Amino acid sequence: MADVIDFDLRLKEVADKVTVALDHLIPPASGPEADLMRAMRHAALANGKRMRPFFLLEAGAMFDAPEKSLLRAAAALECVHCYSLVHDDLPCMDDDDFRRGQPTVHKAFDEATAVLAGDALLTLAFKILASRETHDDAEVRALLIERLADASGARGMVGGQMIDMLESDSPRDLNTITRMQRLKTGALISYATEAAGIIGHAREHERSALAGFSNDLGLAYQIADDLLDATGDEGAVGKALAKDEEAGKANFVTILGIDGARQRVRLLAEQAKEHLAIFREKANILLQSVDFVLDRTH
């Protein structure tokens, strides 16, 4: 039990650090464009697990990477994630009214402001990574930027969202859903550990192990999310559930069934842990993060 409590405390500590960093990095609300900054803050400073930054910081700690560099990269990653949520929630996309227990940005403000707030969070992410404060080595900064662009773009998160939007024209089978989620959800999770390896100057076999870990964990995370959508409690999750079912969309649960989806998550979780074996006790917190994904209720 002590280990679980320690993990929960560590998760909250990291979330708080990232929130403080974002508060400093997002411009204050001032001038005629003040509503834009308010909308950015509404999206980025809301309560969230900050799992992607958590993976980045904990993976980087295994290589004794500078915490300041890791934290700024984590904040940039969270800006991209928050931008994606703002746009996902728009009426032309998933059309959601609540996110992280509060009204979505287009409900709290308006649709145009939500679009612009997402745009501004995305561009802020690359400004953060480009700054000398993130890392002294320009090659490291350039690689962090390049890999985040890949993870968030047409062959990454946005590409996965496009596949999701094509449901009516191209009904989903298991292979399509797997590809969609490896891009839509998995790409940013993979970036988290990749960025940690870049900043920590990890060796090739270590980067390969991290890539295998995040690849399996990212898919497990999405299947767990589909299970929450089917069986979770809206009050605990903080957003509307059963959206795919209402829209007639296939996901891992509708194709595999609840028991089949749970079995797939357990298999992926075991594989993710196996990838971390080379790091021994240094990977203890990341190992606990796999159990968190496996057992998550929100």
Side-chain angles (χ1 to χ4, degrees):
M1 179 64 70
D3 286 342
V4 174
I5 293 172
D6 287 346
F7 176 80
D8 290 342
L9 287 173
R10 178 60 181 163
L11 188 63
K12 185 180 184 306
E13 287 172 2
V14 170
D16 289 345
K17 283 184 179 181
V18 173
T19 300
V20 169
L22 289 169
D23 187 33
H24 287 305
L25 290 164
I26 298 173
S30 62
E33 69 275 23
D35 267 359
L36 173 63
M37 285 75 162
R38 293 190 185 99
M40 293 169 69
R41 290 175 167 276
H42 182 90
L45 302 183
N47 289 330
K49 296 181 293 295
R50 314 288 192 199
M51 289 304 300
R52 291 154 188 81
F54 181 83
F55 296 138
L56 197 161
L57 285 160
E58 294 303 336
M62 294 195 303
F63 305 104
D64 296 320
E67 186 178 48
K68 181 180 180 181
S69 294
L70 294 173
L71 186 56
R72 287 180 63 87
L77 175 56
E78 187 68 2
C79 282
V80 173
H81 177 55
C82 291
Y83 126 75
S84 75
L85 299 181
V86 173
H87 283 192
D88 271 1
D89 291 336
L90 289 167
C92 63
M93 301 283 275
D94 289 345
D95 194 13
D96 278 312
D97 293 343
F98 290 93
R99 171 73 67 177
R100 292 175 168 174
Q102 66 178 17
T104 50
V105 176
H106 71 275
K107 286 293 182 180
F109 296 85
D110 55 64
E111 288 184 38
T113 302
V115 171
L116 294 173
D119 294 343
L121 285 168
L122 175 61
T123 52
L124 176 61
F126 293 102
K127 174 181 171 62
I128 294 168
L129 292 181
S131 170
R132 276 183 169 272
E133 290 189 57
T134 298
H135 203 282
D136 291 337
D137 189 333
E139 288 189 10
V140 168
R141 300 198 303 271
L143 188 54
L144 288 171
I145 291 168
E146 178 186 0
R147 299 307 299 136
L148 183 57
D150 285 341
S152 59
R155 294 292 187 183
M157 180 188 68
V158 175
Q161 182 64 50
M162 188 70 241
I163 297 173
D164 196 11
M165 298 295 291
L166 294 174
E167 165 74 9
S168 59
D169 299 323
S170 177
R172 302 180 195 173
D173 57 20
L174 185 58
N175 287 337
T176 303
I177 291 175
T178 300
R179 175 171 174 75
M180 176 185 74
Q181 298 301 357
R182 285 200 187 282
L183 297 178
K184 183 179 177 182
T185 302
L188 290 189
I189 291 176
S190 292
Y191 177 80
T193 58
E194 183 177 19
I198 292 169
I199 296 170
H201 300 290
R203 291 172 290 181
E204 186 61 34
H205 74 283
E206 293 170 329
R207 293 191 189 193
S208 178
L210 286 175
F213 162 74
S214 58
N215 193 43
D216 287 335
L217 185 69
L219 195 54
Y221 194 93
Q222 182 56 49
I223 299 175
D225 201 56
D226 287 349
L227 283 164
L228 276 180
D229 190 66
T231 65
D233 175 77
E234 287 191 4
V237 177
K239 63 179 181 179
L241 299 179
K243 295 282 290 184
D244 282 349
E245 182 180 357
E246 291 174 8
K249 285 185 175 182
N251 60 31
F252 285 109
V253 172
T254 62
I255 289 181
L256 298 173
I258 290 176
D259 289 341
R262 285 174 175 159
Q263 184 178 0
R264 185 66 61 93
V265 169
R266 287 193 293 271
L267 174 62
L268 289 164
E270 288 173 8
Q271 291 176 180
K273 288 183 176 183
E274 288 173 5
H275 289 298
L276 296 175
I278 68 167
F279 299 112
R280 301 181 183 274
E281 67 279 357
K282 287 185 178 182
N284 282 344
I285 293 180
L286 286 181
L287 287 169
Q288 289 184 51
S289 75
V290 178
D291 293 329
F292 176 84
V293 169
L294 197 64
D295 301 327
R296 60 188 287 237
T297 58
H298 61 284

